[in-house]
Amino acid sequence: MSVRRVACVALPQMRIEIAKEEAAIEGRPLSAEASSSSPLAVVVAKPGGSVKTVRDVLGNTRLDVVSKEARACGVRVGQTVAAARAKCAELHVRVLAESTVRTALARVAEVALAFGPSASFDVVHDVVWLEIGGCAHLHGGERELAQALAERVRAAGHACRIEISDGPRIASAIARLTQALSKAPIVVPAGQGAAAMHGLSVEALDLSYEMVVWLRDLGLRTCGDLQRLPKRSLGTRLGARTKDLMRLLNGEDAAPLDPCRP
């Protein structure tokens, strides 16, 4: 029986890339003096939300994504437009439909299907997953498969980071939160998921904001801090998701994937 292995393509700049592409297609710059290096923030228009177009953006509208140029000016995800512009007066804000993001992720998933039998994507974290168990040898190994996949995604115009491990949530957490600057793929050996999670922040567990703040106030900042707690103590802290999170901290990730059908 083959071990379940999942590759995760993290696309941290996808929404910024789409916003810049849309501006170019419309034939007008991001602002009067804008260039590709101008500070940019994106508000995602979600179904049923109050923001549909840029005309709906108010001072209290919160930012969903910010470019690296905006971050350098002190702008952060979750800030209101008013607070962000107090930090960076030249900040340009664009509105992006969630359906546009979903379509872009589906295109990346189609690219990934050249390397494995089943792909899926997550519009919350902007990641694409690919089941690769039994396929890596066709490309010379897992690292070679990951490198080829990364090259294909970058050729399509997307910055990305590739990670391979035993399950989708572990792969996503490591790909999104590892602070390494290298573009080289990250390959976690089979059975080493717990060790790979050790140094990640508790945000890797997709806890609520309130839970993350509470854990940090207790001095529990990383998955390793939680792994060192006695199991009984851990159960009293994590509530209804205790069993699932304990398995995840132990490197056991059996989360199902919803296959994307091109």
Side-chain angles (χ1 to χ4, degrees), residues 234-253:
L234 187 62
T236 62
R237 286 169 165 78
L238 298 180
R241 290 187 59 198
T242 296
K243 290 184 179 179
D244 177 52
L245 293 175
M246 286 173 69
R247 284 193 291 265
L248 194 58
L249 288 168
N250 199 39
E252 302 168 16
D253 184 6

Side-chain angles (χ1 to χ4, degrees), residues 4-33:
R4 186 192 193 200
R5 299 289 280 169
V6 177
C8 177
V9 183
L11 300 146
Q13 291 297 308
M14 170 168 273
R15 301 180 189 219
I16 296 295
E17 293 160 353
I18 296 172
K20 290 181 177 180
E21 181 182 358
E22 286 189 348
I25 291 172
E26 291 168 6
R28 59 173 184 258
L30 294 174
S31 64
E33 302 83 15

Side-chain angles (χ1 to χ4, degrees), residues 98-141:
E98 187 178 87
S99 59
T100 303
V101 179
R102 186 177 297 276
T103 299
L105 287 168
R107 285 201 299 264
V108 175
E110 288 188 44
V111 170
L113 283 171
F115 299 88
S118 177
S120 182
F121 62 85
D122 175 20
V123 76
V124 174
H125 295 305
D126 292 347
V127 299
V128 171
W129 292 291
L130 177 70
E131 297 268 9
I132 64 166
C135 298
H137 70 282
L138 300 175
H139 301 271

Side-chain angles (χ1 to χ4, degrees), residues 28-41:
R28 59 173 184 258
L30 294 174
S31 64
E33 302 83 15
S35 70
S36 60
S37 60
S38 298
L40 174 65

Side-chain angles (χ1 to χ4, degrees), residues 1 5 11 14 22 34 41 49 51-52 66 73 88 95 118 140 211 231 251-252:
M1 180 179 178
R5 299 289 280 169
L11 300 146
M14 170 168 273
E22 286 189 348
V51 176
K52 301 297 183 186
V66 301
C73 296
C88 180
V95 173
S118 177
M211 177 65 77
K231 294 296 185 287
E252 302 168 16

Side-chain angles (χ1 to χ4, degrees), residues 59-76:
N60 63 353
T61 302
R62 295 193 178 275
L63 305 177
D64 292 307
V65 187
V66 301
S67 69
K68 61 183 180 181
E69 294 83 9
R71 287 197 300 273
C73 296
V75 179
R76 296 292 181 265

